[in-house]
Amino acid sequence: MAHVSQEPSAAATTETVQVKVLPLLAVLLSGAFVAILSETILNVALNAIMSDFGVASSTAQWLVTGYMLVIGTLIPISAYFMQRFTTRQLFITAMSLFTLGTLIAGFSPVFAMLLVGRLTQAVGTALMIPLLTNVILAVIPIERRGAAMGMVGLVIMFAPAIGPTVSGIIVDSLSWRWLFYFITPISLLSLLFGVKVLRNIGETSRPKLDVVSFILSTLGFGGIVFGFSAAGKGDASFTDPLVYSTLLIGFASLCIFGWRQLKLETPLLDIRVFRYPMFLIGLIVVMLVMMTMFAMMLIMPIYMQGALLFTAVTAGLIMLPGGLLNGALSPVMGRLFDKFGPRPLLIPGTIILAAIVFSYRYTTPGVPVWLVIVQLAILMVAVAMIMMPTNTNGLNQLPARLYPHGTAIMNTLMQVAGAIGAALFISVMENGQKRYLANLGISEPTAEQTVEALIYGSQQSFSTGFFFACAAVVLSFFIKRSKQTQAE
């Protein structure tokens, strides 16, 4: 089994650690920022792309679904890459692929080439995200990891928060191609910066790549992400043969994959990380919160425009402050975690989350805009109190040799939770709408009845999110500050 670098000794001074680590983190964070920004920036531009290339919405959606699929299938094998290749090799490869994909997409003459560019971007993103987390675990002392992971939280939340706003401005003023022209120079600068200052962290080995495990992992995680993503699009459901057969293949492959990892001397993804209780409980909490947050992020724009009758611009601007606040508070929560541990943040954070999700049941037409902004802002503050402290605390318990595996599993299952949350809450909302109209015996609803059905369906979705949030509250009481397990 390969091993990563040992952590700096406790005797290392803060100044020394900062001098060594600051350029390294600056490079990785800049790369992660453009990669994550690219993940959400295209959503607003889909209509323009459909018009330019003359493709249907189901085809254009592959720009989003395909991106998620590549990330969902490649992150699980990132543990192998991080053991096999150096930090410089991985970063330069990731940013080169991302930059190449951005250029291909920006100058693509046909939709197929745009999709190729988009998938190439996704390969770079899939390598970049776990690399960043793993390097932090390797070089930052355990007592200071919260602040460093908080910076990761800032990047992860700030990029998607500004993405739709920036995208809307660019698409309205110029063309969707400028989304890629805008990202290209930032990506190139990050790549050149990395070539100049990045140093290798840890040691490499030559672990054997188990091809069967790779195939099972691809079928398993890819099938689950694709199945749930397809079920959440509105033109399909869990009863669709393609959806349930894909999910069945995905879950079956994942079960066989897990069994095989326990038999291998050098597993592709070491699932023994689940033996560490703080990692396991923390991972479940993170997934529950991800699904709850997705309920709000997906349902609320639909609800605001269809039931509260806000314009699309207003709905977008209402969502912006919460995302910015979450990003800004992530480093603060990280420092508080370093000082006080997870429980003083996690327990009140999950309670606030549950309370805010419950309050949406009473957010009905006529509610003032400022109240919706405050609700979303408090929601995202609660998420900031939960996500990074829980994530960091769980990874802290792992021995150093399992860092790449813990990072890969955490990032992969967050992607899976996002896909599950998207499908689940959209399905609950749509089924609630149908049930409301069916109970009234209405086959052709009026505009007013359609709004009433949307309110009912959305409230059903909010209730589901509330139950998930309550489960997170219960689990938060079982989490305590973890210490790193020594090498076994």
Side-chain angles (χ1 to χ4, degrees), residues 266-279:
T266 306
L268 179 67
L269 198 59
D270 198 335
I271 62 174
R272 293 175 183 86
V273 293
F274 294 126
R275 288 169 27 194
Y276 299 90
M278 291 305 100
F279 178 84

Side-chain angles (χ1 to χ4, degrees), residues 18-30 87 91 132 135-136 139 193 197-201:
Q18 285 180 338
V19 169
K20 291 179 179 178
V21 171
L22 209 55
L24 176 68
L25 292 186
V27 169
L28 294 173
L29 286 169
S30 65
T87 310
F91 177 82
L132 171 60
V135 167
I136 287 176
V139 302
F193 185 31
V197 307
L198 194 61
R199 297 292 177 265
N200 289 323
I201 300 299

Side-chain angles (χ1 to χ4, degrees), residues 103-320:
L103 287 169
I104 292 172
F107 292 99
S108 53
V110 294
F111 180 82
M113 189 171 288
L114 172 59
L115 181 59
V116 168
R118 196 61 183 147
L119 299 183
T120 307
Q121 277 187 318
V123 174
T125 304
L127 294 174
M128 178 60 61
I129 295 174
L131 175 64
L132 171 60
T133 306
N134 193 63
V135 167
I136 287 176
L137 292 173
V139 302
I140 303 292
I142 194 169
E143 67 273 8
R144 298 182 58 243
R145 275 188 201 150
M149 292 292 280
M151 292 303 297
V152 177
L154 188 154
V155 168
I156 288 175
M157 292 308 302
F158 183 71
I162 67 169
T165 304
V166 171
S167 178
I169 293 171
I170 290 175
V171 171
D172 285 347
S173 306
L174 299 165
S175 155
W176 61 265
R177 294 183 184 274
W178 279 91
L179 297 175
F180 299 102
Y181 301 156
F182 167 72
I183 288 176
T184 299
I186 304 174
S187 177
L188 276 172
L189 285 173
S190 178
L191 175 58
L192 294 174
F193 185 31
V195 170
K196 182 176 176 60
V197 307
L198 194 61
R199 297 292 177 265
N200 289 323
I201 300 299
E203 302 174 14
T204 60
S205 65
R206 294 186 177 273
K208 181 181 178 182
L209 176 62
D210 184 57
V211 178
V212 175
S213 291
F214 174 68
I215 294 171
L216 289 170
S217 170
T218 302
L219 289 173
F221 291 110
I224 290 170
V225 171
F226 175 79
F228 279 106
S229 297
K233 282 192 171 60
D235 55 353
S237 69
F238 290 109
T239 58
D240 187 295
L242 176 64
V243 171
Y244 67 70
S245 60
T246 304
L247 288 173
L248 184 62
I249 292 170
F251 281 112
S253 300
L254 207 55
C255 289
I256 300 171
F257 171 80
W259 173 81
R260 185 172 178 82
Q261 301 318 291
L262 294 174
K263 301 295 182 182
L264 292 174
E265 182 179 349
T266 306
L268 179 67
L269 198 59
D270 198 335
I271 62 174
R272 293 175 183 86
V273 293
F274 294 126
R275 288 169 27 194
Y276 299 90
M278 291 305 100
F279 178 84
L280 177 58
I281 299 173
L283 177 61
I284 295 172
V285 170
V286 165
M287 292 181 68
L288 288 170
V289 173
M290 279 289 291
M291 287 191 284
T292 305
M293 186 173 72
F294 260 80
M296 300 298 103
M297 297 299 102
L298 284 168
I299 302 301
M300 277 309 295
I302 300 171
Y303 187 68
M304 284 190 287
Q305 294 176 66
L308 304 183
L309 304 182
F310 296 159
T311 65
V313 174
T314 302
L317 291 174
I318 285 173
M319 305 286 285
L320 182 61

Side-chain angles (χ1 to χ4, degrees), residues 419-454:
I420 292 173
L424 177 63
F425 291 111
I426 289 290
S427 296
V428 169
M429 182 187 73
E430 292 181 346
N431 288 333
Q433 289 175 269
K434 293 175 184 176
R435 190 162 55 250
Y436 178 85
L437 295 173
N439 288 340
L440 295 178
I442 299 171
S443 57
E444 296 182 7
T446 63
E448 183 179 349
Q449 291 168 335
T450 300
V451 170
E452 291 172 354
L454 176 60

